[in-house]
Amino acid sequence: MKLDITFLHQQFGKLFEGHLLEELAQVGNYMEVEEGFVLMRPGGYIRSVPILLSGSVKIMRADADGREALLYYLGGLDSCAMSLTCCIDRKQSEITAIADEKTRLIAIPVEKVEEWVCKYPSWKHFVFMTYQKRFEDLLGAIDQIAFHKLDERLLGLLNRKMKQCGCTTFTITHEELGQELATSREVTSRLLKQLERLGKVKLSRNKIELLATAIS
Amino acid sequence: MKLDITFLHQQFGKLFEGHLLEELAQVGNYMEVEEGFVLMRPGGYIRSVPILLSGSVKIMRADADGREALLYYLGGLDSCAMSLTCCIDRKQSEITAIADEKTRLIAIPVEKVEEWVCKYPSWKHFVFMTYQKRFEDLLGAIDQIAFHKLDERLLGLLNRKMKQCGCTTFTITHEELGQELATSREVTSRLLKQLERLGKVKLSRNKIELLATAIS
DNA sequence: GCGATTCTGTAACATTTGCTACACGGGAAA
DNA sequence: TTTCCCGTGTAGCAAATGTTACAGAATCGC
């Protein structure tokens, strides 16, 4: 699909200036990916920087043994700073990026990112803002992992999911949740059951409902 | 002390172009701080971005209850991305920065950082490199906390300290080490004793020596 | 329907980490 | 010297998390 300038204006009108939108239309590559689509794997080379139009993408960190931990979500008009940092010397990715739902995005060739920083003040601002947000996200992830127990982290994770998707019911397995928390399925099940007994969630197969008492 | 252009050329000759060095000399503020000096506290406003000339600075994250965790060290000609991100809208610091030894640095007013990005390609490159390095550091911190047990993290921390200061003996208390690992003094003592029994370290009051078998 | 697969629940136990309490020793201060 | 504070060692128990093992329930493919 070719990028339409009117469409871009709807999306980015307030964020980006006109000339930048024109260039975006020229070089940007519109994509739609389904839930579960793997946008990036550790070791993969980064050729383009994504800007999300809708949907959400979860960014995970994997260790050598295949264990994983959720770092943060991308949503709204977010971009990924990890890919920004890779623009300089075409480094390999150190993270995994997976679409958490059906997601629409624009992919921008890496060489444009640096070029536009000086050409368009609005782009420079966008890049700096992106870095700042991602740093905050990473610090938040560290806070969770370093300072909170698993049950709190689990509740926190469900709350973040709620904010991300705007709904209180998630289609997800305990296994998957365990991965995002970097723990085992059994531990996750145990804690979820505990939360259910406390009236904070309602469990069924492939589904978790966050109840009002658990929302913060 | 006034900044001397010859001095700057010695330090940054290969990194920065001539005109940038001149501006650096004009607006940069040379500082020397002793070990333990607190460069930044959470909530503090960031008015300048530091570039280290020598020494090292440790960057810590504190939670609401006063617990802390080490994020990473600055050394060499490093700068702090946390302060870079704050340039846009004068945000408050979210981290603590403490000189880990006697440290010399140049403080650059935040308003110059963004201005120079477009003016000097070498500065743009420096800023992007800084972001990239700090991201890697934060990811490393997350790896440690999320995927490793305390004994491994302790050994890892001692190894990093060794690389940072270039020596194998550290003047540090168990209490302080515990803080950096976000755990208690007792646990740290226990693990250190365990490492001593394994012949990996040698302990004495206020002092820890990392033995050859523990260096990785 | 029926077997296979996936997801969940749970017990039992091991390991890791946190916390409390106290003893000891070195060295600084009086 | 004596006193006192700080840093360390360590026991003992509590809590949190990891691991193994297995059973039953839901769903899918045939």
Side-chain angles (χ1 to χ4, degrees):
Chain A
M1 170 179 158
K2 188 154 163 29
L3 277 170
D4 173 55
I5 189 78
T6 317
F7 168 73
L8 285 178
H9 210 275
Q10 281 169 13
Q11 300 285 337
F12 297 111
K14 287 174 185 162
L15 201 57
F16 294 147
E17 57 213 283
H19 291 299
L20 174 51
L21 290 179
E22 284 167 32
E23 277 216 59
L24 256 179
Q26 291 230 337
V27 304
N29 186 19
Y30 177 83
M31 293 173 66
E32 276 187 27
V33 298
E34 297 300 318
E35 177 182 341
F37 183 84
V38 178
L39 288 156
M40 183 50 61
R41 279 230 176 279
Y45 285 95
I46 294 168
R47 295 189 180 75
S48 61
V49 172
I51 300 181
L52 269 63
L53 299 175
S54 69
S56 60
V57 171
K58 65 180 178 185
I59 308 294
M60 316 261 302
R61 173 72 166 171
D63 80 339
D65 307 337
R67 293 207 300 167
E68 295 203 311
L70 175 69
L71 296 179
Y72 52 79
Y73 287 100
L74 299 180
L77 290 178
D78 280 344
S79 185
C80 181
M82 298 295 177
S83 48
L84 285 178
T85 63
C86 294
C87 295
I88 318 174
D89 46 5
R90 310 296 154 85
K91 284 202 67 166
Q92 291 168 282
S93 166
E94 308 206 39
I95 50 91
T96 307
I98 302 177
D100 203 42
E101 52 187 310
K102 182 173 174 154
T103 296
R104 300 180 306 138
L105 59 89
I106 296 179
I108 299 166
V110 287
E111 61 269 19
K112 292 296 170 187
V113 174
E114 216 180 326
E115 184 189 322
W116 290 349
V117 162
C118 295
K119 210 162 162 189
Y120 304 110
S122 64
W123 179 258
K124 181 170 72 175
H125 190 259
F126 176 73
V127 167
F128 273 78
M129 281 299 281
T130 296
Y131 273 124
Q132 182 178 315
K133 278 203 274 184
R134 289 323 135 227
F135 260 103
E136 283 174 19
D137 288 341
L138 279 187
L139 286 181
I142 288 177
D143 285 347
Q144 287 292 314
I145 300 175
F147 301 131
H148 295 284
K149 286 189 299 178
L150 269 174
D151 52 354
E152 298 172 302
R153 289 175 55 203
L154 178 52
L155 258 184
L157 177 57
L158 294 175
N159 265 284
R160 263 197 295 167
K161 280 185 183 296
M162 184 197 61
K163 276 167 203 144
Q164 194 65 39
C165 73
C167 59
T168 55
T169 304
F170 319 109
T171 302
I172 192 170
T173 66
H174 300 182
E175 171 74 37
E176 227 177 312
L177 267 181
Q179 277 197 3
E180 300 189 3
L181 293 169
T183 185
S184 68
R185 195 275 308 170
E186 292 85 343
V187 171
T188 312
S189 290
R190 184 198 289 157
L191 293 173
L192 279 171
K193 208 65 198 170
Q194 188 179 301
L195 288 180
E196 188 175 47
R197 278 190 281 265
L198 291 171
K200 309 229 174 198
V201 299
K202 192 160 164 296
L203 303 175
S204 33
R205 189 186 172 90
N206 288 317
K207 211 174 72 179
I208 297 174
E209 187 184 350
L210 190 59
L211 300 178
T213 57
I215 295 174
S216 61
Chain B
M1 170 177 158
K2 187 153 163 30
L3 278 170
D4 173 56
I5 188 77
T6 317
F7 169 72
L8 285 179
H9 210 275
Q10 280 169 15
Q11 299 285 337
F12 297 110
K14 287 174 185 161
L15 201 56
F16 294 147
E17 56 213 283
H19 291 299
L20 174 51
L21 289 178
E22 284 167 31
E23 276 216 61
L24 255 179
Q26 291 230 337
V27 305
N29 186 19
Y30 177 84
M31 294 172 66
E32 276 187 28
V33 298
E34 297 300 317
E35 178 182 340
F37 183 84
V38 178
L39 288 157
M40 183 51 60
R41 278 230 176 277
Y45 285 96
I46 294 168
R47 295 190 180 74
S48 60
V49 172
I51 300 181
L52 270 62
L53 299 175
S54 70
S56 61
V57 171
K58 65 179 178 186
I59 308 294
M60 316 262 300
R61 173 73 166 171
D63 81 339
D65 307 338
R67 292 206 301 167
E68 296 204 310
L70 176 68
L71 296 179
Y72 52 79
Y73 287 100
L74 299 181
L77 289 179
D78 278 345
S79 185
C80 181
M82 298 295 176
S83 49
L84 286 180
T85 63
C86 295
C87 294
I88 317 173
D89 46 6
R90 308 297 154 85
K91 285 202 65 166
Q92 292 169 282
S93 166
E94 308 206 40
I95 51 91
T96 307
I98 302 176
D100 203 44
E101 52 187 310
K102 181 172 175 153
T103 296
R104 301 181 304 139
L105 59 89
I106 297 179
I108 298 165
V110 287
E111 61 269 20
K112 293 296 171 187
V113 173
E114 215 179 327
E115 185 189 320
W116 290 349
V117 163
C118 296
K119 211 161 161 189
Y120 304 109
S122 64
W123 180 258
K124 181 170 73 175
H125 189 258
F126 176 74
V127 168
F128 274 76
M129 281 300 282
T130 297
Y131 274 124
Q132 183 177 315
K133 278 203 274 184
R134 289 325 134 226
F135 260 103
E136 283 173 19
D137 288 341
L138 279 188
L139 287 181
I142 288 177
D143 286 347
Q144 287 292 312
I145 300 174
F147 301 131
H148 295 284
K149 286 189 299 181
L150 269 173
D151 53 354
E152 297 172 304
R153 289 175 55 202
L154 178 52
L155 258 185
L157 177 57
L158 294 175
N159 265 285
R160 262 197 295 168
K161 280 186 183 295
M162 183 196 61
K163 276 166 204 144
Q164 194 65 38
C165 74
C167 58
T168 55
T169 304
F170 319 109
T171 302
I172 193 169
T173 66
H174 299 183
E175 172 74 38
E176 227 177 312
L177 267 181
Q179 277 197 3
E180 300 189 2
L181 293 169
T183 186
S184 67
R185 195 275 309 169
E186 293 86 340
V187 171
T188 312
S189 289
R190 184 198 288 157
L191 293 173
L192 279 171
K193 209 65 199 172
Q194 188 178 301
L195 288 180
E196 189 176 45
R197 278 191 282 265
L198 292 172
K200 309 228 173 197
V201 299
K202 193 161 163 297
L203 303 175
S204 34
R205 189 186 173 87
N206 288 319
K207 211 174 72 180
I208 297 174
E209 187 185 349
L210 190 58
L211 300 177
T213 56
I215 295 175
S216 61

